[in-house]
């Protein structure tokens, strides 16, 4: 009996030693990884390549969760100089550039638009994969712009947010993307408070926040406007659906000055409109091995490639999602799950008008 107890004691002591050794190896490995990452970031921020430094700083500063990483190595003045972008004098939207000219179905066959993209299932929505050196994503072409409205629960603003899927379901929509930005202190906001005014079916909410240069709105003629400078333009331009984030990517057929589109690599979402009225909804994946992300310039280039006359960046990062026919069709960048947000652009079923 005593021998048996001694044997158990020996086994327990050996097991304890193995566990301690294993934990020691684990902690040492983690320490070395952290040390490696620290020195890697140090070399990027303090090394000879300004391009690498700027890309790193802009990428991390565009997310509230890890923006502090740049602060570890650079002063506020240095960071401000990297983030500085010249202000663009964006003119109001030239509505004459939009002439509604949608392709019509030829019997039961698929419809091909002026740019050569085909609506294989004739649901009025075309999904096209996009790719660049550092990213992959999807462009959704909505042939009928009257189907695109803002998903929002005005009574919940400041209280709680909803997911892209929830906004789609609430509106009995067939597709949706995330919308404007929102207050997100320390990356822990609840996605309820927008950081710009919001317009839903012609009614303005949170107007005291203002519009800023990144506001985007759709008027009663289904023309998408960019280049807002004042909330008064919401009424002046008869905006029915609108939210904001920015920056503006394309204005009246031309991309903005590249200096004003300097940014890091991150997941992106954008909305635009072609000259035939079709609405362009772009979502680019990021923070993944297969897709690091895109810059604002990348977004502008893609929008121009697809014929955008006007386009604006929306909220990105962990919010960037595209939902279509009952499921998300891109990978979410968030490691903690789908985020709640205050607004979403949703695509209604064909023939449906939410506001009558």
């Amino acid at each position: 009996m005593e021998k048996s107890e001694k044997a158990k004691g020996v086994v327990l002591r050996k097991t304890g030693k193995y566990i301690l050794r294993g934990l020691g190896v684990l902690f040492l490995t983690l320490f070395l990884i952290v040390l490696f990452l620290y020195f890697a970031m140090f070399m990027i921020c303090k090394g000879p390549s300004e391009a690498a430094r700027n890309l790193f700083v802009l990428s991390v500063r565009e997310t509230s969760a890890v923006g502090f990483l740049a602060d570890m190595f650079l002063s506020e003045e240095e960071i401000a100089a990297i983030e500085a972008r010249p202000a663009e004098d964006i003119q109001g939207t030239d509505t004459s550039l939009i002439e509604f000219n949608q392709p019509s179905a030829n019997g039961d066959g698929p419809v091909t638009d002026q740019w050569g993209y085909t609506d294989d299932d004739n649901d009025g929505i075309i999904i096209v994969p996009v790719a660049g050196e550092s990213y992959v994503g999807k462009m959704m072409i909505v042939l009928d712009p009257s189907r695109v409205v803002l998903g929002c629960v005005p009574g919940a603003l400041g209280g709680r947010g909803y997911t892209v899927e929830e906004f789609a379901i609430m509106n009995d929509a067939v597709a949706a993307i995330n919308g404007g930005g929102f207050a997100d202190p320390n990356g822990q906001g609840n996605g309820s408070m927008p950081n710009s005014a919001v317009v839903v079916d012609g009614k303005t909410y949170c107007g005291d926040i203002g519009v800023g240069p990144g506001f985007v709105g759709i008027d009663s003629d289904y023309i998408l406007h960019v280049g807002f400078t004042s909330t008064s333009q919401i009424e002046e331009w008869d905006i029915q659906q609108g939210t904001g984030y920015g920056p503006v990517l394309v204005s009246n057929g031309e991309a903005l000055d590249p200096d004003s589109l300097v940014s890091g690599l991150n997941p992106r979402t954008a909305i635009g409109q072609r000259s035939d009225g079709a609405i362009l909804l772009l979502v680019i994946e990021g923070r993944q091995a297969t897709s690091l992300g895109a810059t604002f310039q990348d977004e502008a280039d893609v929008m121009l490639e697809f014929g955008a006359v006007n386009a604006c960046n929306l909220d990105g990062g962990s919010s960037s999602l595209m939902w279509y026919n009952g499921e998300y069709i891109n990978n979410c960048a968030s490691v903690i799950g789908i985020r709640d947000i205050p607004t979403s652009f949703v695509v209604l079923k064909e023939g449906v008008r939410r506001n009558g």
Side-chain angles (χ1 to χ4, degrees):
M1 192 72 176
E2 289 182 5
K3 289 183 178 180
S4 176
E5 291 296 329
K6 286 182 179 180
K8 287 182 180 178
V10 170
V11 170
L12 287 174
R13 284 194 294 273
K14 286 184 176 180
T15 302
K17 285 182 180 179
Y18 292 141
I19 291 174
L20 288 175
R21 286 177 183 174
L23 289 174
V25 171
L26 175 62
F27 285 125
L28 179 60
T29 301
L30 290 174
F31 173 75
L32 291 175
I33 290 173
V34 170
L35 193 64
F36 171 78
L37 292 175
Y38 178 88
F39 279 106
M41 289 186 292
F42 176 83
M43 290 303 298
I44 291 173
C45 290
K46 297 297 185 179
S49 174
E50 286 190 9
R53 180 200 64 188
N54 294 352
L55 184 62
F56 169 77
V57 170
L58 291 168
S59 297
V60 300
R61 291 280 294 181
E62 286 172 356
T63 172
S64 52
V66 297
F68 68 91
L69 292 176
D71 302 334
M72 294 170 59
F73 307 101
L74 300 169
S75 67
E76 291 183 8
E77 292 76 14
E78 289 173 314
I79 293 173
I82 293 170
E83 292 181 318
R85 293 196 298 260
E88 281 284 326
D89 182 19
I90 304 170
Q91 302 300 313
T93 295
D94 182 355
T95 58
S96 70
L97 297 176
I98 309 298
E99 295 183 9
F100 296 98
N101 181 22
Q102 299 303 325
S104 55
N106 232 351
D108 294 326
V111 170
T112 299
D113 67 14
Q114 299 175 44
W115 282 262
Y117 299 110
T118 301
D119 180 9
D120 292 314
D121 55 5
N122 275 338
D123 68 345
I125 296 173
I126 304 171
I127 306 293
V128 184
V130 298
E133 290 184 359
S134 63
Y135 65 86
V136 297
K138 289 183 174 66
M139 176 69 82
M140 177 182 292
I141 305 170
V142 185
L143 298 177
D144 179 0
S146 69
R147 297 173 62 184
V148 179
V149 298
L150 196 74
C152 180
V153 181
L157 293 175
R160 63 155 294 186
Y162 298 84
T163 65
V164 170
E165 180 179 18
E166 287 173 327
F167 280 123
I169 291 172
M170 282 187 283
N171 288 276
D172 195 23
V174 296
I177 62 169
N178 60 294
F182 56 93
D184 190 22
N186 300 316
Q188 299 178 3
N190 67 356
S192 68
M193 179 53 67
N195 56 13
S196 77
V198 172
V199 184
V200 185
D201 299 337
K203 296 182 180 179
T204 301
Y205 303 90
C206 303
D208 57 320
I209 301 177
V211 290
F215 191 84
V216 59
I218 301 173
D219 70 18
S220 57
D221 292 322
Y222 311 115
I223 294 176
L224 184 142
H225 291 253
V226 298
F228 289 78
T229 58
S230 167
T231 52
S232 65
Q233 291 167 324
I234 292 175
E235 182 176 356
E236 178 185 347
W237 295 344
D238 197 19
I239 300 302
Q240 300 297 303
Q241 319 291 336
T243 185
Y245 194 72
V248 172
L249 303 169
V250 179
S251 176
N252 295 326
E254 296 183 3
L256 270 66
D257 186 317
D259 288 341
S260 69
L261 297 177
V262 172
S263 67
L265 296 175
N266 274 302
R268 304 288 182 190
T269 301
I271 183 171
Q273 186 172 42
R274 297 190 315 200
S275 59
D276 66 347
I279 295 293
L280 304 172
L281 304 176
L282 174 66
V283 171
I284 291 175
E285 298 180 8
R287 302 174 191 165
Q288 300 169 39
T290 55
S291 183
L292 296 178
T295 65
F296 294 148
Q297 185 65 60
D298 290 330
E299 284 186 292
D301 291 342
V302 173
M303 280 292 182
L304 288 173
E305 179 185 339
F306 278 80
V309 173
N310 293 290
C312 188
N313 178 66
L314 297 172
D315 191 17
S318 299
S319 300
S320 287
L321 283 170
M322 180 176 286
W323 188 91
Y324 178 57
N325 281 344
E327 63 180 348
Y328 290 110
I329 60 173
N330 72 302
N331 294 314
C332 180
S334 175
V335 296
I336 59 174
I338 307 300
R339 302 185 77 178
D340 290 334
I341 54 178
T343 57
S344 169
F345 279 104
V346 303
V347 183
L348 303 176
K349 293 178 178 177
E350 287 188 279
V352 172
R353 297 292 181 271
R354 188 177 65 185
N355 56 345

